[in-house]
Amino acid sequence: MTDLPTLKVKSNITIDTKQSSGRLSRWVAVGLIVFLVLYFVITMNNIRTIDERITAIKDGPYPVSVAAGHVETILTQIRTLAYRPTLTDPDRVIKSVEYSYETNNADLEAQLTLIKEQDDQNYDLAQGLFDDFSVLINAENAFIDYCSSPSVTPEEVEAYVNDNLFPVIDRMLENDLALLASTTNFIDESYDVISGVLLTTTIASIILILGVAASLAIYLTLIYRKNQRERQLRENLESALEIAQNANAAKSTFLSNMSHDIRTPMNAIIGLTTIADTHINDTIRVKECLTRISTSSKHLLGLINDILDMGKIESGKLTLNEEQFSFPELISGFITIIQPQVRAKHLKFDASLPNVKNEMLIGDSMRLNQMMLNLMGNAIKYTPEGKAVSIFIEEEPCERAGYHNYRFVFKDEGIGISPEFLKVIFDPFERENNETTRFTEGTGLGLPITKSIVELMGGTINIESTPHVGSTFTVVIPLKDGIDPEEGDDMAALYGLHMLIVDDDELVRESTHETLSELGIRNETSPSGHHAVEMVQAAHADNDDYHAVLLDRFMPGMDGLDTARKIREIIGDTTPIILVTAYDYNEIQSEAIEAGITAFISKPLFKSRIYHVLKLQCIDGGVETFQVVESAKDAQLQGRVLLAEDNELNSEIASELITQLGPEVEVATNGLEAVEMVDSADENYYQLIFMDWQMPQMDGIEATKTIIDHARRTGRNHPPIVAMTANAFNEHRDMALEVGMDGFMAKPIDVKELEKILRKYLG
Ligand code: ADP
């Protein structure tokens, strides 16, 4: 059982699972906190340093330096006082000096006491000052006493001062200045320390501000990116939703189309069966019904095949065969299938492959045929009556050794495709909504299937289309070169013949000219009927008559048949005139014979086909190619077939179809019964076994294995076994051949295929 096609929702949703931005923001936050802590520590440390310095200055050096300043002033005053007793009125002066000494000494003592108490660092200096203070007081007292003597002269006073008083004062001044310098030093140094601390604080603040600003910038960027991602995600989700909704709508449309498309042929089959039943004695009517039932059944089968193909494509199970096939046979089979559709719509049709040299190729011919039928089928379906469709095939070099590229160009003058629809044309179930498609059968599966086949083959497909003008589908596929069985043939039989090619299409003229020249045929070309008649006339007059004329059917001016009539008037009845046409020639056969046509050759013109037709006509005596030759083909077959089939209706149909061709049929209703019937019969009693796959008790695969095994063990031959099954995929075919079956036939039974197999084994 194969699944129905599942709809793939194509979307480009990407959700960032790495969360790199989350990690980044965490690192930024941690960095910021570390910064803040560092800043706090540095700042607190700096404040503490400043505080310590200020306290140290306040408690020691500052008051000490102030006091030292005072001391300096006082000592200077005391020093100055020493000169006063030399002045006039010594008593009064001495009293005044004595008084000044007292006040200054009191002041000095206070300052020195303060210095001694406050200054720990300059203890020696402070102590020295303090010690000298007592010496100074004594010296002052001695000085006052000395000056009080009336006989002492100013010179003696001055000498006394210089010898006894000034040395003490100068020593004290010296110590005081040293103390002052020391405290000033300490204050300067503290100032430097505080400046340094202020600088580091300022730097730390700047770094912190920059850090905060950078973190803020990163944070804002992250938020912006996050918002952007969220917006992108939202958009993706919205588009995924839209795609899902569209897919769902397409699926619903598909189901309703399917229901309609399946019902239409089913309805026809049921209705026509009823009509045939009620007119059972009217054989013409019954035959007509049966023909139409057959058409509807084939349509239904096509539909089911498309759905199954789509299912396989979507589950990736579509595989390709690689086998050698004849390109001319493939193309002629394809043209035979499409000719009735072309005829029914009165379309102009052309098929050409001007430069295709390889006739044997390796690839999946069935899928190639499917691709061509889909694209040409669409071209025909979507082109109004009377317009033109064409297929053009070209062989091109390929990069892969042993391969050639084949360019298939399908052109039509149809309704065209809008640019909007071109965007979704390869999506499953999509059909353009217009008047034509509404009234044309279709599922929207043909193109997706075609595209998948082409891509699986390593090819490409392109569309160019203009609404109301037409479309061109171009497919390029690389195909492996096969081995031409006729390659060894020298094809020399036609050497030296003289021929005329008449075709209005320059490409066809040139390629046919080339092909004939390769075959050693001397040939001329003519673009029109009139001109061709003149050439025939001239050749006749020169006694160089053409041995054959290749004549295109449709040409402007004089068409192929009229040209043939005129030529016949000149050269009589014997020279073969071969009509080249892309159409089914059966319908013009009698008119053509009457016009003097000897044979037909269908377009496109392969070298082998031209060779065979010309050889037949010019060398082998010219058997008319359109004469249907009675052959052994229609003779009744003899023999006995064992049909292993559990379904009664299928068994009845198969039996009937087989017996119509001559052989007898015996039926086994399951695999086990089939094995028993073969075992109990004589060795060559059955000439063929058709084996169903799925059967109760023992399935076809098991039964085949058992029959082969029994035959080997008993040393007998077993009849050829051909699978006849609804398991119609390549893998089933491969499996059947693997277990030892001799052939494979898919249901529903194709009568021609059945006959081919019967003739192979019973003929
Ligand atoms: P179907 O023909 O069954 O509807 P396809 O997948 O083959 O499905 O094509 C899908 C759609 O593409 C068609 O329904 C039609 O609208 C459009 N189409 C395909 N081929 C042609 C063509 N040659 N000209 C115009 N429209 C086309």
Side-chain angles (χ1 to χ4, degrees):
M1 177 77 195
T2 306
D3 294 338
L4 270 181
T6 52
L7 284 176
K8 274 190 196 148
V9 178
K10 293 177 207 118
S11 105
N12 52 355
I13 303 172
T14 46
I15 297 169
D16 182 12
T17 49
K18 288 185 191 158
Q19 296 177 332
S20 52
S21 57
R23 229 177 297 141
L24 183 61
S25 56
R26 260 203 307 282
W27 279 116
V28 169
V30 169
L32 201 59
I33 290 169
V34 170
F35 253 142
L36 280 171
V37 170
L38 273 176
Y39 180 74
F40 179 76
V41 170
I42 291 170
T43 310
M44 288 317 286
N45 196 39
N46 289 348
I47 288 172
R48 193 176 49 77
T49 308
I50 292 170
D51 184 52
E52 276 171 9
R53 285 285 165 168
I54 289 173
T55 309
I57 291 168
K58 190 179 94 211
D59 291 349
Y62 177 68
V64 169
S65 75
V66 172
H70 268 289
V71 168
E72 187 191 357
T73 312
I74 296 165
L75 286 174
T76 310
Q77 273 179 10
I78 290 173
R79 205 174 192 282
T80 315
L81 284 173
Y83 292 108
R84 290 190 67 184
T86 60
L87 303 175
T88 51
D89 199 0
D91 286 343
R92 206 173 50 86
V93 170
I94 288 169
K95 284 234 179 330
S96 158
V97 169
E98 202 174 359
Y99 175 74
S100 292
Y101 276 155
E102 274 171 29
T103 49
N104 278 332
N105 285 344
D107 213 0
L108 190 59
E109 187 177 13
Q111 298 304 327
L112 290 176
T113 308
L114 188 145
I115 289 172
K116 199 176 164 204
E117 283 170 1
Q118 299 273 328
D119 198 348
D120 301 335
Q121 292 167 11
N122 303 295
Y123 179 79
D124 289 345
L125 288 174
Q127 188 59 44
L129 275 173
F130 218 78
D131 293 345
D132 279 342
F133 179 55
S134 336
V135 176
L136 178 65
I137 292 171
N138 291 336
E140 283 171 353
N141 291 335
F143 175 58
I144 294 292
D145 289 342
Y146 184 74
C147 292
S148 302
S149 166
S151 57
V152 70
T153 64
E155 287 76 25
E156 285 169 342
V157 169
E158 193 176 341
Y160 185 88
V161 167
N162 283 336
D163 294 341
N164 299 301
L165 198 56
F166 280 1
V168 183
I169 293 172
D170 288 345
R171 199 166 58 246
M172 283 184 77
L173 269 174
E174 198 178 311
N175 281 344
D176 183 56
L177 287 177
L179 192 75
L180 195 60
S182 164
T183 52
T184 308
N185 266 352
F186 183 77
I187 290 170
D188 285 349
E189 189 199 318
S190 296
Y191 178 78
D192 288 346
V193 169
I194 289 170
S195 293
V197 164
L198 284 176
L199 187 67
T200 50
T201 311
T202 311
I203 291 171
S205 303
I206 290 171
I207 291 175
L208 184 75
I209 286 172
L210 288 178
V212 169
S215 308
L216 201 66
I218 293 172
Y219 182 69
L220 287 177
T221 311
L222 290 179
I223 289 202
Y224 173 73
R225 284 215 194 134
K226 188 168 165 254
N227 288 345
Q228 242 187 353
R229 263 204 315 280
E230 276 173 8
R231 200 174 50 242
Q232 180 71 44
L233 190 66
R234 212 174 27 253
E235 279 171 16
N236 284 346
L237 284 173
E238 276 166 12
S239 87
L241 183 68
E242 198 183 318
I243 290 169
Q245 281 169 341
N246 287 346
N248 210 18
K251 200 165 191 169
S252 306
T253 316
F254 163 73
L255 283 177
S256 83
N257 280 350
M258 268 300 106
S259 158
H260 169 263
D261 290 351
I262 291 176
R263 273 166 203 279
T264 310
M266 282 303 288
N267 191 36
I269 293 168
I270 295 166
L272 288 165
T273 314
T274 315
I275 296 172
D277 192 34
T278 46
H279 297 86
I280 198 70
N281 294 323
D282 181 349
T283 46
I284 295 174
R285 192 76 190 267
V286 170
K287 186 142 186 7
E288 187 191 308
C289 286
L290 290 176
T291 311
R292 290 166 66 191
I293 286 172
S294 168
T295 312
S296 299
S297 315
K298 280 183 189 142
H299 174 67
L300 197 57
L301 187 62
L303 203 67
I304 291 165
N305 281 339
D306 270 2
I307 298 168
L308 294 180
D309 274 352
M310 207 58 224
K312 283 213 268 179
I313 286 166
E314 298 215 325
S315 59
K317 287 188 189 146
L318 188 79
T319 50
L320 295 176
N321 275 339
E322 191 167 284
E323 59 199 8
Q324 173 147 312
F325 63 92
S326 149
F327 204 21
E329 267 174 37
L330 174 74
I331 300 295
S332 91
F334 156 71
I335 288 183
T336 311
I337 296 173
I338 54 150
Q339 264 168 350
Q341 302 168 38
V342 169
R343 204 172 37 236
K345 285 193 82 171
H346 308 288
L347 295 171
K348 294 185 199 90
F349 174 63
D350 193 19
S352 60
L353 27 72
N355 70 340
V356 175
K357 300 272 182 263
N358 281 337
E359 299 203 354
M360 295 308 290
L361 298 174
I362 294 172
D364 193 328
S365 58
M366 197 273 275
R367 294 292 177 189
L368 272 177
N369 198 32
Q370 187 178 6
M371 175 277 287
M372 293 194 294
L373 288 175
N374 276 348
L375 295 182
M376 188 44 88
N378 279 350
I380 296 169
K381 232 170 22 172
Y382 301 111
T383 300
E385 291 208 358
K387 300 266 184 178
V389 295
S390 65
I391 174 174
F392 173 83
I393 306 171
E394 254 188 317
E395 191 177 274
E396 296 169 346
C398 177
E399 283 169 4
R400 277 169 85 178
Y403 280 75
H404 278 89
N405 279 336
Y406 291 86
R407 176 184 297 276
F408 298 80
V409 184
F410 302 84
K411 222 178 179 138
D412 67 55
E413 294 178 351
I415 56 172
I417 302 158
S418 67
E420 299 78 50
F421 187 70
L422 272 180
K423 291 180 199 147
V424 294
I425 195 162
F426 291 117
D427 289 354
F429 315 126
E430 293 287 352
R431 304 194 73 212
E432 188 158 23
N433 189 9
N434 57 36
E435 276 302 304
T436 314
T437 44
R438 221 166 293 143
F439 297 104
T440 319
E441 273 176 6
T443 54
L445 290 177
L447 287 182
I449 291 173
T450 303
K451 185 165 190 268
S452 301
I453 292 173
V454 170
E455 285 177 352
L456 209 60
M457 291 182 171
T460 54
I461 178 163
N462 282 305
I463 311 174
E464 281 166 36
S465 186
T466 314
H468 314 298
V469 176
S471 313
T472 304
F473 285 70
T474 306
V475 169
V476 180
I477 296 179
L479 289 168
K480 207 170 171 180
D481 305 338
I483 299 156
D484 192 342
E486 291 182 1
E487 215 163 56
D489 297 3
D490 59 2
M491 285 199 177
L494 306 175
Y495 194 84
L497 292 183
H498 184 206
M499 285 187 196
L500 176 63
I501 302 158
V502 190
D503 202 306
D504 58 320
D505 185 328
E506 195 183 342
L507 265 181
V508 176
R509 267 198 324 270
E510 274 173 19
S511 67
T512 319
H513 167 71
E514 206 180 303
T515 311
L516 293 191
S517 304
E518 278 170 20
L519 292 169
I521 300 170
R522 187 160 54 94
N523 65 93
E524 280 108 49
T525 61
S526 165
S528 72
H530 283 294
H531 185 246
V533 173
E534 283 167 20
M535 286 181 78
V536 170
Q537 185 102 55
H540 189 61
D542 289 353
N543 236 344
D544 185 23
D545 273 326
Y546 293 108
H547 293 107
V549 179
L550 279 178
L551 194 54
D552 185 26
R553 184 182 164 195
F554 289 112
M555 291 181 291
M558 194 187 285
D559 76 2
L561 295 188
D562 284 342
T563 311
R565 284 191 193 97
K566 293 272 182 223
I567 292 175
R568 281 273 173 251
E569 282 172 18
I570 303 164
I571 54 170
D573 292 339
T574 47
T575 307
I577 302 178
I578 300 154
L579 196 70
V580 182
T581 176
Y583 298 84
D584 181 2
Y585 45 70
N586 286 323
E587 58 189 45
I588 56 154
Q589 191 167 313
S590 44
E591 193 192 346
I593 294 168
E594 174 272 315
I597 298 294
T598 330
F600 292 96
I601 182 164
S602 20
K603 272 188 180 177
L605 294 174
F606 282 93
K607 185 175 172 185
S608 62
R609 189 174 295 159
I610 295 180
Y611 175 78
H612 287 301
V613 171
L614 289 181
K615 185 162 172 285
L616 189 72
Q617 294 303 316
C618 303
I619 309 291
D620 301 343
V623 176
E624 290 184 19
T625 50
F626 42 73
Q627 225 168 41
V628 181
V629 183
E630 275 291 322
S631 68
K633 197 171 138 219
D634 295 333
Q636 284 284 299
L637 290 162
Q638 305 271 313
R640 191 174 295 104
V641 173
L642 172 59
L643 175 68
E645 168 68 70
D646 63 318
N647 183 290
E648 215 173 304
L649 185 61
N650 282 348
S651 152
E652 198 182 318
I653 292 171
S655 302
E656 182 65 34
L657 293 175
I658 297 169
T659 46
Q660 269 180 15
L661 293 163
E664 276 178 47
V665 178
E666 289 184 13
V667 177
T669 54
N670 61 57
L672 193 61
E673 206 177 309
V675 173
E676 285 166 2
M677 284 170 76
V678 174
D679 282 350
S680 57
D682 288 341
E683 188 171 354
N684 293 320
Y685 182 74
Y686 298 112
Q687 280 77 54
L688 180 65
I689 302 174
F690 278 123
M691 186 71 82
D692 186 19
W693 193 295
Q694 290 177 3
M695 288 184 289
Q697 297 201 41
M698 187 185 275
D699 68 21
I701 292 291
E702 208 47 49
T704 303
K705 283 191 200 158
T706 315
I707 291 170
I708 293 171
D709 186 48
H710 286 188
R712 203 182 46 242
R713 277 200 270 136
T714 53
R716 298 193 330 164
N717 287 327
H718 67 81
I721 306 171
V722 173
M724 185 186 266
T725 171
N727 291 353
F729 297 145
N730 282 343
E731 56 264 31
H732 297 128
R733 180 187 296 267
D734 293 346
M735 195 170 163
L737 299 180
E738 224 166 79
V739 298
M741 289 195 184
D742 301 276
F744 186 91
M745 202 177 121
K747 284 182 195 163
I749 299 169
D750 177 339
V751 181
K752 284 196 183 122
E753 175 85 6
L754 178 71
E755 184 176 350
K756 218 162 103 186
I757 291 172
L758 286 171
R759 287 199 184 282
K760 179 170 175 191
Y761 294 107
L762 279 70

